[in-house]
Amino acid sequence: MLTLSAGVQAQQAAQPAVAAIQTAQAQTLHSQIDQRAKAIEQQLIAWRRDIHEHPELGNLETRTAKLVADHLRKLGMDVKTEVAVTGVVGLLKGGKPGPVVALRADMDALPVKEQVDVPFASKAKGMYLGKEVDVMHACGHDTHTAMLMATAEVLAGMKEQLPGSVKFIFQPAEESPATFEPDGEKIWGAKQMIKEGAMLNPKVDAVFGLHVSSAYPAGYIAWRPGPAMSAVDQFWIDVTGKQTHGARPWSGIDPIVASAQIITGIQTIVSRQANIGLEPAVVTVGAINGGNRMNIIPEKVSMIGTIRTYDEGMKKDIHKRLANTAEHIAESSGAKAKVRVVELYNAVVNPPDLVTQMSPTLERVAGKGNYGVQPKSSASEDFSFYQQEAPGMFFYLGVTPKDKDPNTAPNNHSPLFYADESSMIYGVRALSNMAVDYMLAAQKN
C-alpha cells in the first residue's frame, strides 16, 4: 500500500474546496450578468430602435460606428476606429489574467424598402453601387449591434472579476460592401477586419457570435456542431454567339438558346454529378440578361448565380464542373462561354469540442425547452473567417413573436422582417455568459 506524502494529501483535500470556490465564482458571475442585463434592457431596446431607424449600407456605417465607439469609450475601453473602413474594436481588460475572448456583431443594413409598420421604421436612403436605394435593417444587424453594446456594458461593470479580456468586434459590410462589386481581389468585412489586426494585439483565443432568425420564436437559441452555414460563391457566365436577324437564326449563333441549355445543364451538377451523400449543395442562376428586341438574336448573353457548399473539396469540384458544363454546351452550338467564380465566404464550421464545452452555457441561458439543434443553413456568414483565426462558435437567436408561426413569418431580408425585442436580452445574456464561462474553464484548466 502506497502512502501519500503530506503535501499530496493536503492538495487532494483542497480539491473539493477549490471546486466549490470555482462553482461559487461562476454562480456569482452568472447572477451578476442576469441582473445587469435586465437593468440595461430598456437602453438595449432604445439603441436598437435608433440604429434601426438610421440604417447604413456596408462600409458606410459612419453614424452607427460613432455611436458604438462613443459608448465603448465611456466604458473605459481601448477603442480602435476605422478598422476595415468603418469597423470598431474595443478591448476590455479584465482584473485577472486569462484568455482573450472576442465577441462579434455586424452593423450593416440592406438595400430594401421597409414595409413594417412601427414608429421607428426606416425611411433612409443610401447609395448602393452608385445608385440611390432605400435602406433597411432587414437582416437584424441592428439587433446584433445593440446586443453587443449592451454586452459590453454588462461585462465592463464587472471587469475586475473577469479572469481574462474581451474584444468587442463591431464589423461593417457583412452583407458585402455598398461601394464596389466583389471581384475576387478586393476584400471587405471580416476578412479585412482580420487583415487589419482585429484578432491580434492581444491574440484572440476564442470567438463567439450570433445571428437573429425568423425561423425560431423569440428567445429560442439554436446551434450546430460542425458545418452549420454554407460557403457562398458568386459566378458569372458570359455566352458569346453571332448576332443575326431573328427570322434567319441559321445565319448566326444564338447565345440565348445556348444559355438556356447551359442553365439546364448546370442543374445536373448537383442532381447527377456532385456527391451529395457527402454534403448538400446548391447551384442557382439568379439573373440572365441578353437582347433588346424581339427580332434580333443578340451577340451576347450574361448570367449570374450563386453556389452554396459545406465542404471545401466539394466546392472546388463544383467550380470545375460549372466551367466544364458551360464551356462544352456553348461549344456544341458554336458559341463560347466564359466562366468566372469569386469565392465570397467560407462555410461556418463550429468545432465540435468547443460546442460541447459551450452548449451547457446556452442551455442554461435559454432555459428548458427553449433551445435545440440548428439544421444546416444554406445561408452564409463571413464569421467563418474569424473561425480560421481562433476556435469560434456561431449560433442562432429566434426573434419571431411567440404568437406568430415561425414557418410563415417573413424571413430575414424581407421588407416585412420583424424582430421581437423581447428576444434581445437572451442574446446579451448568451454572449456575456459564453465569454465568462470560457474564461472560467481556462482558469480551471
Side-chain angles (χ1 to χ4, degrees):
M1 181 178 179
L2 297 175
T3 302
L4 296 174
S5 69
V8 174
Q9 287 177 326
Q11 185 179 24
Q12 285 194 344
Q15 284 177 351
V18 170
I21 291 171
Q22 289 173 338
T23 300
Q25 181 186 19
Q27 290 175 344
T28 298
L29 292 175
H30 296 161
S31 177
Q32 283 196 45
I33 288 171
D34 289 347
Q35 292 171 12
R36 292 178 181 276
K38 187 63 179 175
I40 201 175
E41 186 173 16
Q42 292 308 308
Q43 179 61 65
L44 164 65
I45 292 171
W47 280 326
R48 183 263 168 157
R49 293 183 178 185
D50 178 58
I51 296 167
H52 186 91
E53 191 172 358
H54 301 93
E56 297 168 301
L57 296 170
N59 281 354
L60 301 173
E61 309 92 336
T62 53
R63 182 185 185 277
T64 308
K66 184 178 186 306
L67 179 70
V68 168
D70 289 348
H71 176 61
L72 298 184
R73 290 192 183 102
K74 287 179 183 177
L75 296 175
M77 294 189 198
D78 295 333
V79 179
K80 293 181 180 179
T81 60
E82 299 181 359
V83 184
V85 186
T86 55
V88 180
V89 179
L91 178 64
L92 177 65
K93 298 176 182 177
K96 303 174 184 178
V100 178
V101 177
L103 303 175
R104 175 270 202 169
D106 36 16
M107 302 186 294
D108 55 322
L110 286 162
V112 173
K113 182 176 178 61
E114 180 154 16
Q115 296 179 21
V116 183
D117 185 15
V118 292
F120 51 92
S122 170
K123 297 179 178 62
K125 301 280 188 179
M127 296 300 295
Y128 182 75
L129 300 180
K131 296 180 180 180
E132 186 178 67
V133 294
D134 295 288
V135 185
M136 175 194 174
H137 270 295
C139 201
H141 295 187
D142 53 331
T143 67
H144 300 172
T145 302
M147 285 187 282
L148 193 56
M149 290 174 68
T151 301
E153 184 153 334
V154 167
L155 294 179
M158 45 197 292
K159 67 178 181 179
E160 295 305 322
Q161 302 171 66
L162 296 182
S165 299
V166 185
K167 270 194 176 182
F168 297 91
I169 298 176
F170 292 85
Q171 177 203 307
E174 189 278 328
E175 298 283 1
S176 79
T179 50
F180 62 85
E181 184 80 28
D183 60 3
E185 296 181 4
K186 301 185 186 76
I187 63 172
W188 65 90
K191 187 175 281 191
Q192 191 173 356
M193 294 287 287
I194 292 165
K195 182 179 180 181
E196 296 184 17
M199 296 288 280
L200 300 172
N201 301 316
K203 187 178 185 302
V204 171
D205 295 296
V207 57
F208 301 109
L210 63 79
H211 204 298
V212 296
S213 172
S214 65
Y216 304 104
Y220 189 92
I221 298 177
W223 63 94
R224 182 181 190 86
M229 300 180 73
S230 72
V232 56
D233 304 321
Q234 183 171 346
F235 66 83
W236 293 258
I237 302 177
D238 296 321
V239 182
T240 303
K242 181 181 177 182
Q243 185 167 320
T244 188
H245 197 293
R248 297 176 56 83
W250 53 85
S251 63
I253 298 173
D254 193 337
I256 293 179
V257 172
S259 296
Q261 293 171 335
I262 288 170
I263 292 172
T264 300
I266 285 172
Q267 304 313 303
T268 69
I269 293 174
V270 172
S271 67
R272 289 295 181 270
Q273 300 178 52
N275 180 9
I276 58 172
L278 174 65
E279 292 285 359
V282 173
V283 180
T284 293
V285 175
I288 179 168
N289 294 283
N292 57 15
R293 185 176 168 86
M294 61 91 180
N295 63 348
I296 299 175
I297 291 174
E299 180 184 11
K300 292 183 178 181
V301 172
S302 298
M303 65 186 86
I304 57 174
T306 185
I307 302 168
R308 307 287 169 137
T309 54
Y310 298 89
D311 178 82
E312 186 68 18
M314 190 175 188
K315 177 172 76 172
K316 298 297 187 184
D317 180 63
I318 288 176
H319 290 179
K320 292 179 182 178
R321 293 181 185 277
L322 179 71
N324 184 62
T325 299
E327 290 169 2
H328 284 85
I329 288 177
E331 185 180 359
S332 70
S333 63
K336 292 183 179 180
K338 180 180 179 182
V339 179
R340 182 166 65 97
V341 179
V342 171
E343 297 183 22
L344 299 179
Y345 302 158
N346 294 335
V348 170
V349 181
N350 291 327
D353 56 345
L354 184 62
V355 172
T356 298
Q357 177 184 340
M358 302 311 302
S359 291
T361 300
L362 293 179
E363 291 170 9
R364 187 185 72 250
V365 168
K368 187 176 180 180
N370 204 37
Y371 61 85
V373 176
Q374 165 207 328
K376 283 181 178 175
S377 172
S378 55
S380 302
E381 246 284 352
D382 68 357
F383 184 84
S384 56
F385 294 123
Y386 298 110
Q387 292 177 312
Q388 294 180 331
E389 304 299 314
M393 182 174 172
F394 199 70
F395 61 96
Y396 277 137
L397 173 66
V399 292
T400 292
K402 292 184 179 179
D403 62 345
K404 305 293 183 182
D405 183 358
N407 293 316
T408 58
N411 293 327
N412 297 57
H413 288 218
S414 164
L416 293 171
F417 174 74
Y418 177 81
D420 188 327
E421 293 170 334
S422 69
S423 64
M424 294 193 296
I425 192 171
Y426 287 89
V428 174
R429 291 177 57 230
L431 292 172
S432 300
N433 276 278
M434 291 179 87
V436 164
D437 286 357
Y438 185 89
M439 291 177 185
L440 292 175
Q443 184 183 49
K444 182 178 180 180
N445 293 334

